[in-house]
């Protein structure tokens, strides 16, 4: 960002209220999502070890698939927010419907691939002979809910773009409760076993999609927006999503490479790495909530052709990101003695994790800047730059990570490479934010 006058106190307070109003419900919705898998695991775990192992493989595949398509939420948020800022609410909802139609088409395509290939996909991920049948069953049944899952992502983006993060929170909480109740009833009450767990998740996801569609359709009717599929609009939504897909795949590749390197360091190191990664992911929810607020706010300002408002909001959100990162880092340091015993009693694993956790703590302010600027540029529709920046980051991370075992480094060295990765991301995003090239105004980018 270029030099700018100090933000007036009244403006800062207005930004703060808006960030909190959007970020807090978004954080709640983000936390509710992984609870689906946790609830399934708790219920299926009592069926037996093989069933739980099968669920672990299948849920990892589903989580990966959904995370790959998260661009449906990101791209839709930015596009809808721009229309809102431009005062074109019917056009905003029309744009959102294009994203929802795209989600439905992608979901149908995924089903067409997963249903016949499920056994091969499960084998590819190394499921044991005892766990593979359960993983295949769960994957096949739950794949029927993928269109609903993707439509939920797109519809969440619509509501975020409309500056509404409360409805997604309510739907996520309701979906979690329905999923837990259905799982218990179908797994044990109906005696369907792991298939019952999958059906419970499918029904819950379809119910969530129905609620979202009801909200969006009501808004469309209220503002006279068309609900019919529009080929040009769907194609535009897909084109906007491609760069974000590249960005997401690059980030997933980084996480997979880090896990593969940790596995080469030994059992204690990979165990400690999984513990640290779970904490890192939890902290990411808090920072991602601010990023989501950034997507909605920045898109709206640019749609309204208010570049100064966009700059001021960006600066304030960066300050929020840094402050949140500092707090999270201090919490990691303070909670280390309490956190590790929750996951392991092995002193070797604890010894491997402790210094690596300090590296994670030190990196949190950097993560805060990265998440916020990532959200700002997504809100600006700057997907091509984000894709290129992530490819550069991946190119830097790969040799850094592979050198860790080559030079006898341990888990702390690996997380130093992860910190380097986040630092590169911060540098690329900070340069872009200062350049001002992301400040493209108008109802569409």
């Amino acid at each position: 960002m270029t030099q700018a006058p100090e933000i007036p106190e009244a403006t800062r307070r207005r930004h703060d209220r808006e960030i909190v109003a959007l970020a807090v419900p978004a954080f709640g919705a983000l936390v509710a999502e992984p609870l689906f898998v946790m609830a399934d695991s708790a219920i299926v775990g009592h069926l037996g070890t093989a069933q739980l192992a099968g669920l672990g493989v299948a849920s990892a595949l589903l989580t990966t698939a959904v995370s790959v398509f998260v661009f449906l939420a990101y791209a839709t948020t930015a596009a809808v927010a721009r229309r809102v800022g431009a005062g074109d609410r019917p056009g905003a909802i029309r744009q959102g419907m294009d994203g929802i139609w795209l989600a439905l088409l992608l979901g149908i395509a995924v089903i067409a691939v997963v249903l016949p290939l499920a056994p091969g996909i499960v084998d590819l991920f190394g499921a044991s002979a005892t766990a593979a049948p359960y993983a295949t069953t769960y994957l096949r049944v739950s794949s029927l809910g993928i269109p609903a899952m993707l439509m939920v992502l797109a519809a969440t983006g619509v509501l975020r773009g409309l500056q509404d993060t409360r409805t997604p929170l309510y739907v996520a909480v309701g979906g979690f409760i329905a999923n837990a109740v259905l799982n218990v009833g179908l797994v044990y009450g109906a005696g369907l076993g792991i298939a019952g767990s999958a059906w419970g998740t499918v029904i819950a996801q379809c119910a969530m999609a129905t609620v979202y569609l009801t909200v969006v359709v009501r808004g469309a009717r209220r503002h006279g927006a068309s609900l019919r599929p529009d080929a040009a609009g769907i194609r535009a939504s897909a084109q906007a999503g491609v760069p974000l897909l590249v960005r997401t795949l690059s980030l997933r590749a980084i996480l997979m490479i880090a896990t593969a390197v940790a596995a080469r360091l030994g059992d204690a190191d990979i165990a400690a790495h999984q513990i640290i990664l779970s904490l890192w992911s939890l902290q990411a929810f808090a920072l991602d909530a601010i990023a989501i607020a950034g997507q909605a706010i920045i898109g709206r300002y640019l749609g309204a052709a208010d570049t100064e408002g966009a700059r001021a909001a960006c600066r304030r959100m960066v300050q929020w990101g840094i402050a949140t990162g500092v707090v999270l880092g201090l919490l990691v340091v303070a909670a280390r003695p309490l956190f590790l015993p929750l996951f392991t009693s092995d002193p070797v694993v604890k010894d491997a994790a402790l210094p690596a956790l300090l590296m994670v703590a030190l990196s949190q302010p950097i993560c805060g800047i990265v998440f916020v600027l990532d959200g700002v540029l997504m809100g600006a529709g700057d997907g091509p730059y984000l894709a290129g920046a992530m490819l550069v980051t991946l190119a830097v991370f790969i040799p850094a990570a592979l050198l860790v075992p080559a030079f006898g480094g341990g888990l702390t060295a690996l997380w130093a490479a992860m910190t380097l990765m986040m630092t590169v991301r911060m540098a690329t995003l900070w340069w872009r934010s200062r350049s001002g090239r992301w400040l493209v105004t108008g109802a569409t980018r």
Side-chain angles (χ1 to χ4, degrees):
M1 292 165 290
T2 55
Q3 281 299 115
E6 182 69 19
I7 304 173
E9 181 64 25
T11 302
R12 279 203 305 272
R13 289 179 179 175
R14 187 179 75 251
H15 287 318
D16 289 347
R17 286 194 299 269
E18 193 166 31
I19 292 168
V20 170
L22 290 171
V24 171
F27 175 71
L30 289 170
V31 170
E33 291 172 9
L35 292 179
F36 270 78
V37 177
M38 290 178 64
D40 288 1
S41 299
I43 294 165
V44 171
H46 292 285
L47 293 174
T49 302
Q51 289 90 333
L52 183 58
L55 173 66
V57 172
S59 63
L61 288 167
L62 288 167
T63 301
T64 300
V66 173
S67 67
V68 164
F69 291 114
V70 75
F71 70 84
L72 289 166
Y74 294 158
T76 305
T77 298
V80 171
R82 274 184 175 270
R83 295 275 187 180
V84 169
D88 182 12
R89 191 163 285 260
I93 297 174
R94 171 67 265 175
Q95 190 98 44
M97 283 304 305
D98 292 334
I100 292 172
W101 280 111
L102 175 62
L104 177 61
L105 294 174
L106 289 173
I108 293 171
V110 172
I111 290 177
V113 172
V114 172
L115 277 180
L117 299 180
I121 296 172
V122 167
D123 288 341
L124 186 64
F125 275 71
S128 68
T130 54
Y134 297 110
T136 301
T137 296
Y138 190 92
L139 184 59
R140 275 183 166 156
V141 174
S142 58
S143 69
L144 300 176
I146 287 179
M149 293 181 192
L150 300 189
M151 290 171 73
V152 165
L153 283 176
T156 300
V158 176
L159 295 182
R160 288 173 180 170
L162 294 171
Q163 318 295 296
D164 176 10
T165 57
R166 289 183 178 273
T167 300
L169 171 60
Y170 300 148
V171 175
V173 172
F176 166 72
I177 294 172
N179 179 67
V181 172
L182 286 165
N183 265 256
V184 172
L186 294 174
V187 171
Y188 298 109
L192 296 180
I194 194 169
S197 176
W199 278 116
T201 300
V202 169
I203 295 169
Q205 291 287 347
C206 289
M208 291 171 66
T210 300
V211 173
Y212 275 122
L213 288 174
T214 300
V215 173
V216 174
V217 167
R218 284 178 179 172
R221 288 174 175 168
R222 186 162 55 248
H223 295 283
S226 173
L227 297 171
R228 294 179 179 178
D230 176 65
I234 295 171
R235 187 164 53 250
S237 295
Q239 289 171 346
V242 168
L244 296 181
L245 176 61
V246 173
R247 167 203 167 274
T248 301
L249 289 174
S250 300
L251 182 57
R252 296 296 301 183
I254 286 171
L255 297 177
M256 289 175 64
I257 291 168
T259 299
V261 170
R264 293 181 62 185
L265 299 177
D267 289 347
D269 286 298
I270 185 62
H273 176 74
Q274 289 302 111
I275 294 171
I276 295 169
L277 192 60
S278 66
L279 176 63
W280 193 73
S281 299
L282 179 63
Q283 291 175 315
F285 286 138
L287 298 173
D288 205 22
I290 303 174
I292 287 169
Q295 293 170 30
I297 293 170
I298 295 299
R300 192 191 71 228
Y301 273 118
L302 294 180
D306 185 357
T307 57
E308 287 307 310
R311 286 181 185 275
C314 178
R315 288 197 300 274
R316 190 56 178 162
M317 281 183 283
V318 168
Q319 293 169 358
W320 269 80
I322 294 171
T324 304
V326 170
V327 171
L328 290 173
L330 292 174
L331 285 174
V332 170
V333 174
R336 281 186 308 157
L338 301 174
F339 175 74
L340 287 175
L342 294 176
F343 290 88
T344 182
S345 58
D346 188 336
V348 179
V349 176
K350 290 180 181 179
D351 289 343
L354 279 171
L357 277 173
L358 286 177
M359 186 63 66
V360 172
L362 290 171
S363 70
Q364 286 308 298
I366 297 173
C367 293
I369 296 172
V370 168
F371 274 80
V372 167
L373 291 180
D374 204 41
V376 165
L377 296 184
M378 282 185 191
D382 206 12
Y385 180 82
L386 290 173
M390 275 305 303
L391 289 173
V392 170
T393 303
L394 177 61
V396 172
F397 176 75
I398 289 174
L402 296 181
L403 286 173
V404 170
F407 283 88
L411 191 63
T412 303
L414 176 59
W415 276 93
M418 289 287 286
T419 301
L420 171 64
M421 177 270 294
M422 294 302 291
T423 303
V424 172
R425 287 188 72 190
M426 180 181 70
T428 58
L429 296 173
W430 186 265
W431 177 85
R432 186 66 167 182
S433 70
R434 288 184 63 85
S435 74
R437 294 177 184 175
W438 56 280
L439 292 165
V440 179
T441 60
T444 58
R445 183 179 172 90

